[in-house]
Amino acid sequence: MATKVYIVYYSTYGHVEKLAEEIKKGAESVEGVEAKLWQVPETLSHEVLGKMGAPPKSEVPIITPSELVDADGIIFGFPTRFGMMAAQFKAFIDSTGGLWRTQALAGKPAGIFYSTGSQGGGQETTPLTAITQLTHHGMIFVPIGYTFGAGMFEMEQIKGGSPYGAGTFAGDGSRQPSELELGQAFHQGKYIAGITKKLKGTA
C-alpha cells in the first residue's frame, strides 16, 4: 500500500503554492509515495481579495479536517503574518478540535514551510510558533535540519528557509521563489516522504 503524503497549504499571492508544488515533486520522487496538494479554506471575501490584488485561487481542492486522517504524513505551508502563520491557516487548525479530542493525528510525521515578506519577517518564528499546533495533536515534527547541504549556507544570494523547513521571501509580492528555494522545497518533500515511508513500514 502506498504511503500518502499530504501537502496542505494556504497561499494568498502564489508564493507558498509554488513551494508546495515543488514539495509534492520531491515527495513523489520517493518510490511508493503518493503526494497530494490541498488548500485550506479562504476566510476573506472575493471583494477584499480583489482590493488586495490577490490572484484567483487555483483548482487545488479544499481540504476538510476529517480528510487529514487519511494521510500518513502531512507538510503544512502558509505565509507569515507578524511572525506567525496567517489567520486563514490558523482558522483551519482551530477547526480540527474533533481530531484533537480523539488524537486522530497523533504519531503522524509533519513538516512546515512558509513565505515571509522580508528577511527579518519570521523565517524562524513562523515555523517555531506553528510547532505548538502539531504538539497538541501529538504529531511528530520533522525539521529538515541542515540536510539540504551547501544550500543551507548560501550567502551570495537572498534565500529563504531555515532548519525548520523550506521558505521563500515574497518582498512586495513581485519576487518569486528562486531556484535555490525551490530546490530546498523539493528536498523537504523528498526528505519527509522518506521518513514517513520508514515510519509506516515499522507500524
Side-chain angles (χ1 to χ4, degrees), residues 178-199:
S178 67
E179 287 303 313
L180 188 58
E181 290 168 340
L182 294 174
Q184 187 177 41
F186 182 95
H187 170 75
Q188 182 176 19
K190 182 177 181 180
Y191 182 71
I192 294 180
I195 290 176
T196 301
K197 181 180 177 181
K198 287 179 183 177
L199 287 175

Side-chain angles (χ1 to χ4, degrees), residues 69-91:
V69 179
D70 297 330
D72 297 304
I74 308 171
I75 309 175
F76 299 106
F78 32 79
T80 187
R81 299 290 185 266
F82 301 106
M84 301 175 69
M85 68 169 63
Q88 289 88 340
F89 207 90
K90 182 59 165 61

Side-chain angles (χ1 to χ4, degrees), residues 6-12 15-21 23 37-40 63 68 74-80 84-90 92-93 110-116 126-127 130 134 165-167 188 192:
Y6 284 179
I7 298 101
V8 181
Y9 68 92
Y10 171 74
S11 188
T12 308
H15 298 82
V16 172
E17 187 165 69
K18 282 189 172 62
L19 294 180
E21 290 166 353
I23 287 172
L37 294 175
W38 296 91
Q39 297 185 82
V40 303
I63 196 168
L68 291 172
I74 308 171
I75 309 175
F76 299 106
F78 32 79
T80 187
M84 301 175 69
M85 68 169 63
Q88 289 88 340
F89 207 90
K90 182 59 165 61
F92 174 74
I93 294 294
I112 296 170
F113 63 104
Y114 42 86
S115 172
T116 72
T126 302
L134 309 182
Q188 182 176 19
I192 294 180

Side-chain angles (χ1 to χ4, degrees), residues 9-199:
Y9 68 92
Y10 171 74
S11 188
T12 308
Y13 296 103
H15 298 82
V16 172
E17 187 165 69
K18 282 189 172 62
L19 294 180
E21 290 166 353
E22 287 301 311
I23 287 172
K24 180 176 184 286
K25 292 176 185 176
E28 290 177 335
S29 73
V30 178
E31 185 178 355
V33 170
E34 293 179 358
K36 185 171 183 177
L37 294 175
W38 296 91
Q39 297 185 82
V40 303
E42 178 60 79
T43 60
L44 298 177
S45 68
H46 291 298
E47 181 182 4
V48 171
L49 289 169
K51 290 180 179 179
M52 293 170 59
K57 299 296 182 186
S58 69
E59 296 301 314
V60 171
I62 305 296
I63 196 168
T64 60
S66 62
E67 287 170 304
L68 291 172
V69 179
D70 297 330
D72 297 304
I74 308 171
I75 309 175
F76 299 106
F78 32 79
T80 187
R81 299 290 185 266
F82 301 106
M84 301 175 69
M85 68 169 63
Q88 289 88 340
F89 207 90
K90 182 59 165 61
F92 174 74
I93 294 294
D94 287 350
S95 72
T96 62
L99 301 180
W100 165 75
R101 280 191 295 273
T102 60
Q103 287 294 283
L105 303 180
K108 294 183 186 291
I112 296 170
F113 63 104
Y114 42 86
S115 172
T116 72
S118 65
Q119 293 186 66
Q123 289 282 317
E124 290 200 40
T125 62
T126 302
L128 179 61
T129 52
I131 291 172
T132 60
Q133 325 292 314
L134 309 182
T135 300
H136 281 258
H137 275 291
M139 302 185 82
I140 303 169
F141 175 54
V142 181
I144 60 171
Y146 284 82
T147 59
F148 187 48
M152 295 295 294
F153 300 93
E154 172 59 42
M155 297 293 286
E156 298 303 316
Q157 61 174 296
I158 294 174
K159 184 193 78 69
S162 72
Y164 293 92
T168 188
F169 293 114
D172 62 2
S174 61
R175 182 186 185 274
Q176 295 300 311
S178 67
E179 287 303 313
L180 188 58
E181 290 168 340
L182 294 174
Q184 187 177 41
F186 182 95
H187 170 75
Q188 182 176 19
K190 182 177 181 180
Y191 182 71
I192 294 180
I195 290 176
T196 301
K197 181 180 177 181
K198 287 179 183 177
L199 287 175

